[in-house]
Amino acid sequence: MSDWPNGVAAPARRALAAAGVTGLEDLTGWREEDLAQLHGMGPKALAALKGALAEKGLTLREP
């Protein structure tokens, strides 16, 4: 299992796992709007994920 950044609580981690997302690199194929629809994914988790992606030079898919 991947180490998610601080701010990604257990409900969001479970939502990501259920969607087949195992690491930050997997998120590059996702749009922010789609991630926000996952049950358990809140604004704090989304912000933490976007920040972690930016640190690695990665982004979410554009709409």
Side-chain angles (χ1 to χ4, degrees), residues 15-40:
L16 291 166
V21 178
T22 60
L24 288 174
E25 293 78 17
D26 294 339
L27 291 175
T28 61
W30 285 74
R31 296 180 316 141
E32 183 174 353
E33 296 81 12
D34 296 330
L35 282 175
Q37 296 300 314
L38 296 176
H39 182 74

Side-chain angles (χ1 to χ4, degrees), residues 4-8 12 16 21 23-28 30-36 41-63:
W4 296 108
N6 290 336
V8 181
L16 291 166
V21 178
L24 288 174
E25 293 78 17
D26 294 339
L27 291 175
T28 61
W30 285 74
R31 296 180 316 141
E32 183 174 353
E33 296 81 12
D34 296 330
L35 282 175
M41 184 64 63
K44 184 176 178 183
L46 277 172
L49 290 170
K50 286 172 58 177
L53 284 167
E55 286 178 10
K56 290 191 167 217
L58 302 171
T59 60
L60 294 172
R61 193 179 87 196
E62 293 294 321

